[in-house]
Amino acid sequence: MPTEGRLLRLLTWLSPAFPVGAFGYSHGLETAIREGKVTDARTLTGWIALLIEHGSGWTDAVLARAAWTAVTAEDHAALDEIAELGEALAPSAERRREAMAQGEAFLNAVAAWHPPPILRAPYAVAVGAAAGAAGIPLRPALTAWLHAFAANLVSVAVRAVPLGQSDAVAVIAALEPVILRTATLAAESGLDDLGQAAIVSDIASLRHETLDGRLFGS
């Protein structure tokens, strides 16, 4: 497949229109907004940057890289183990449902192309496996994944803060260096590099379960 074709496929898979239901989850951000931790573009940028570099964004990128590597090596046993590990790393019941529901929806939708050799996986693992099976290069796949991760959280803030569209675009622009830097590091990572320190986000995801009148599923 030409490079343009692989890029087009990647853009389709990680488009907001791809039917994974990402719009229904806030990844604990709704709690942070309600509690006054995220109130504007500056605090949102800091929140998402921390997740990408030291939290669930980093963990997901490492898992996606591992899944991509397992598929390209045709190591299906390793891919299954990576999927199990990704599910086990979810810090709360809601975050686990978020990752698994989106992973299932992604795998169902991506079957319209050549599906990866896995039936059940967290979202990041499913995307990494699909990219590997489609011959999409690792670095672009990780960059696109992290951009989609950030863009969905910005979309949550647009609805829940609420944040204006100009501020939302400014947040995405400010996150570009973080996304590129993290994708580069994740492309050279291994499972030994897993780990996160975004404890406030994890606590927010736990507290979301009892949030009154919530808009999102996590």
Side-chain angles (χ1 to χ4, degrees):
M1 181 190 300
T3 300
E4 292 83 357
R6 293 188 177 94
L7 175 61
L8 178 60
R9 187 169 297 184
L10 187 60
L11 290 171
T12 300
W13 289 351
L14 293 173
S15 162
F18 204 66
V20 296
F23 64 87
Y25 300 97
S26 84
H27 209 70
L29 179 57
E30 183 176 17
T31 306
I33 292 169
R34 291 278 196 94
E35 294 179 349
K37 295 182 176 67
V38 173
T39 58
D40 54 18
R42 180 186 62 80
T43 50
L44 177 64
T45 301
W47 184 272
I48 298 174
L50 181 65
L51 287 179
I52 291 174
E53 293 192 287
H54 303 294
S56 52
W58 167 253
T59 297
D60 282 353
V62 173
L63 290 170
R65 192 266 189 197
W68 185 95
T69 302
V71 168
T72 55
E74 299 184 356
D75 191 341
H76 297 172
L79 181 59
D80 289 339
E81 291 177 0
I82 293 161
E84 291 178 4
L85 176 61
E87 183 175 1
L89 288 174
S92 68
E94 284 192 356
R95 287 267 287 273
R96 176 185 173 277
R97 284 195 296 270
E98 173 187 331
M100 299 308 295
Q102 290 186 75
E104 179 181 1
F106 179 84
L107 290 171
N108 287 338
V110 85
W113 292 268
H114 182 67
I118 194 167
L119 299 176
R120 184 176 185 274
Y123 189 22
V125 174
V127 170
I136 295 171
L138 177 60
R139 282 278 297 278
L142 293 175
T143 301
W145 164 259
L146 289 169
H147 178 270
F149 175 85
N152 187 65
L153 293 180
V154 171
S155 175
V156 169
V158 167
R159 288 172 280 169
V161 170
L163 196 71
Q165 292 292 343
S166 295
D167 281 342
V169 171
V171 172
I172 293 293
L175 289 170
E176 282 185 357
V178 178
I179 290 170
L180 291 170
R181 182 168 62 249
T182 304
T184 298
L185 292 173
E188 302 298 327
S189 71
L191 293 179
D192 287 344
D193 297 305
L194 282 169
Q196 61 180 32
I199 306 301
V200 174
S201 173
D202 293 341
I203 293 173
S205 75
L206 290 165
R207 291 170 64 84
H208 189 268
E209 296 179 2
T210 58
L211 199 65
D212 290 334
R214 57 189 184 178
L215 301 174
F216 300 92
S218 67

